Amino acid sequence: MRERGTPVNQEAPDDPALSRSAAEESAAQRDARFRRLTEAIPVQVWTALPDGKLDYVSDQTARYFGRTVEEVVGDGWLSILHPDDVPVTVERWTHSLQTGESYETEFRLLSQGAEEYRWHLARAVPLYGEDRRIVQWFGTNTDIHEKKQAEAYLEQARLREHESNVAKSRFMNMLSHELRTPLGAIGGYSELLSSGVRGTLTAAQKADVDRIYHNQQHMLNLVNDLLELARLEARQLTIDVKPVALDTLLHAVLPIVDPLLAAKGVQLTLQLESPGLWVAADAAKAQQILINLIGNAIKFSPRDSRILVGDGRAENVVCITVADQGCGIDSEELADIFEAFVQVGPARQREGGSGLGLTISRELARAMSGDLRVESVFGTGSTFILELPLAETPAAPAVGITA
Ligand code: ADP
């Protein structure tokens, strides 16, 4: 049951009781009800004549602007509009008045007792008379200042991030040149001395030169890792994702890790459960991750232990697992090992690592829409799981991978 005074449709209602109430309600009553409504809702309400001049604003709206209603109606509202927003606002409002298209714009209004300009979203729709001409516009202004400020803040943050990426990349290029060039020279000359071209070295001299070379290699690896991580973080590394046959990918990695396996006396078994799988990956980057994982597995495994490289599939994801029987990782430290420069357990005492390999590997995996995870039992072994998106087997031949 409708109560007396409830708004009714403009179209003729079927209910006779309803049409009686509508007829009984005088224009003055309807007007009073409309005004009460505009005072109650938390947006600013206004109406305008077909020529665009305001013929009504609610009391609370005028108060909010620190003006009287009389000061705001007509063209008075233009005096509270931010001067920079006047041209575009007038242009849009004029366009709507001429075409009858709904009006929507954002502008700053002198608000809060005329103390500050705040952003508002203005909207208005026309009301047509029986002759199909516009008789009035009904409009609202909604305060969107906080939203606009948040947007501006985000934009500034994006700009700052971009600037810092540019600065970082400039620094990295400098680092690359200034560090790699002398490092290359150190490596080259120590190789030259070690080869005996400059005269025969004593055993002690040769040992010293080899130490120089060993440290040069370590520093070069560190600089290269840092550069790669910086490029990844600045999204400046090109990732070329294509369908890659999983067994081709894994078989390309084996000859590279063979010398490390032999030197440590560790045995690697490749056990593919689902042959014929293809992954969507950058073959070289996927290979780099696997070399890092198997290299670590060898590094942290005891002599005569085994490493198992396997595969698995979960919906559209292919998992490549590298499981070792090494020292394992304490559960409390498990989450940290993907952070840059973090080394845990016995690795802390070991020289040679940089603590960047897993950080880079996970970034690379994520850049290929995959991920890298670890499961480990301290003292028993670790399993690293590289996830890569499944690719459909292409009709064309596999992407060639060179070992
Ligand atoms: P790095 O090997 O150069 O130290 P990584 O980022 O590759 O750097 O690895 C970070 C740390 O994670 C290692 O120092 C080691 O503490 C731990 N870790 C990685 N792989 C293994 C593994 N297979 N078994 C045990 N610990 C590991």
Side-chain angles (χ1 to χ4, degrees):
M1 237 327 247
R2 272 177 193 267
E3 283 175 20
R4 191 181 147 81
T6 307
V8 290
N9 287 336
Q10 284 184 323
E11 285 160 28
D14 298 334
D15 185 345
L18 212 61
S19 41
R20 240 192 346 270
S21 357
E24 281 163 15
E25 188 180 47
S26 70
Q29 276 174 320
R30 277 202 300 273
D31 198 45
R33 218 153 40 81
F34 168 74
R35 280 163 195 266
R36 271 223 303 284
L37 185 70
T38 64
E39 298 296 339
I41 58 176
V43 289
Q44 301 151 17
V45 180
W46 48 269
T47 63
L49 298 171
D51 64 2
K53 293 191 190 309
L54 300 201
D55 63 343
Y56 168 77
V57 291
S58 63
D59 277 340
Q60 70 152 2
T61 304
R63 258 198 317 278
Y64 178 75
F65 294 134
R67 307 281 160 109
T68 62
V69 168
E70 291 69 31
E71 285 169 328
V72 179
V73 291
D75 290 328
W77 62 280
L78 287 168
S79 70
I80 50 170
L81 192 58
H82 193 291
D84 292 350
D85 300 337
V86 171
V88 69
T89 306
V90 170
E91 188 194 315
R92 290 197 185 150
W93 188 214
T94 309
H95 175 80
S96 289
L97 295 175
Q98 285 169 353
T99 60
E101 282 173 25
S102 304
Y103 167 68
E104 182 167 324
T105 192
E106 290 177 1
F107 49 46
R108 283 159 291 178
L109 293 174
L110 197 56
S111 317
Q112 306 277 358
E115 270 173 14
E116 61 161 339
Y117 281 103
R118 290 180 69 82
W119 279 101
H120 287 76
L121 167 70
R123 283 199 176 120
V125 287
L127 176 74
Y128 288 91
E130 278 169 8
D131 57 358
R132 299 190 154 269
R133 293 165 89 92
I134 294 173
V135 289
Q136 207 170 22
W137 286 83
F138 283 80
T140 56
N141 300 338
T142 310
D143 189 320
I144 53 163
H145 198 67
E146 265 76 37
K147 178 175 158 269
K148 288 291 272 192
Q149 275 185 325
E151 280 171 7
Y153 180 77
L154 270 180
E155 187 51 38
Q156 272 175 4
R158 261 197 294 272
L159 212 68
R160 272 201 301 273
E161 192 196 346
H162 174 72
E163 280 167 4
S164 95
N165 278 345
V166 170
K168 198 192 242 173
S169 126
R170 224 180 278 135
F171 173 70
M172 284 301 154
N173 285 338
M174 187 275 288
L175 193 73
S176 164
H177 184 256
E178 299 296 323
L179 285 182
R180 282 209 288 199
T181 309
L183 274 174
I186 295 170
Y189 280 110
S190 47
E191 272 183 315
L192 200 73
L193 286 174
S194 186
S195 70
V197 173
R198 299 280 192 235
T200 313
L201 301 181
T202 64
Q205 285 168 336
K206 178 139 180 22
D208 286 349
V209 171
D210 287 347
R211 255 180 230 124
I212 294 172
Y213 183 72
H214 175 77
N215 278 285
Q216 178 271 352
Q217 286 290 301
H218 175 58
M219 237 177 128
L220 194 61
N221 287 341
L222 186 65
V223 170
N224 286 340
D225 280 355
L226 273 172
L227 276 170
E228 184 163 27
L229 188 61
R231 292 210 176 102
L232 263 171
E233 283 175 350
R235 295 191 179 84
Q236 286 173 350
L237 210 69
T238 316
I239 306 279
D240 186 18
V241 173
K242 289 191 179 115
V244 184
L246 186 59
D247 55 352
T248 316
L249 177 70
L250 291 169
H251 279 105
V253 169
L254 297 184
I256 302 171
V257 294
D258 261 347
L260 298 173
L261 289 163
K264 187 78 186 271
V266 174
Q267 202 196 333
L268 186 145
T269 310
L270 179 60
Q271 196 174 314
L272 292 184
E273 299 290 336
S274 336
L277 284 182
W278 286 66
V279 290
D282 179 316
K285 305 284 187 259
Q287 217 175 320
Q288 181 183 341
I289 299 173
L290 289 167
I291 293 168
N292 179 239
L293 296 183
I294 299 172
N296 275 349
I298 299 169
K299 212 162 40 170
F300 298 107
S301 287
R303 186 161 278 280
D304 295 328
S305 64
R306 288 181 59 198
I307 295 172
L308 186 70
V309 176
D311 66 338
R313 186 186 154 181
E315 296 199 2
N316 293 327
V317 177
V318 174
C319 301
I320 307 165
T321 50
V322 178
D324 63 52
Q325 300 171 321
C327 58
I329 302 158
D330 194 317
S331 59
E332 287 192 1
E333 296 178 312
L334 215 49
D336 299 334
I337 60 167
F338 293 103
E339 300 302 322
F341 305 111
V342 170
Q343 295 184 304
V344 300
R348 281 199 204 98
Q349 283 81 48
R350 196 188 294 256
E351 59 155 318
S354 65
L356 284 172
L358 287 178
T359 316
I360 293 173
S361 294
R362 191 170 67 171
E363 289 292 323
L364 284 174
R366 289 182 173 175
M368 294 187 279
S369 306
D371 210 348
L372 181 60
R373 317 183 264 119
V374 62
E375 289 164 5
S376 187
V377 178
F378 188 58
T380 304
S382 312
T383 301
F384 283 82
I385 303 135
L386 169 63
E387 296 177 351
L388 290 171
L390 177 76
E392 280 189 19
T393 311
V399 175
I401 299 171
T402 44

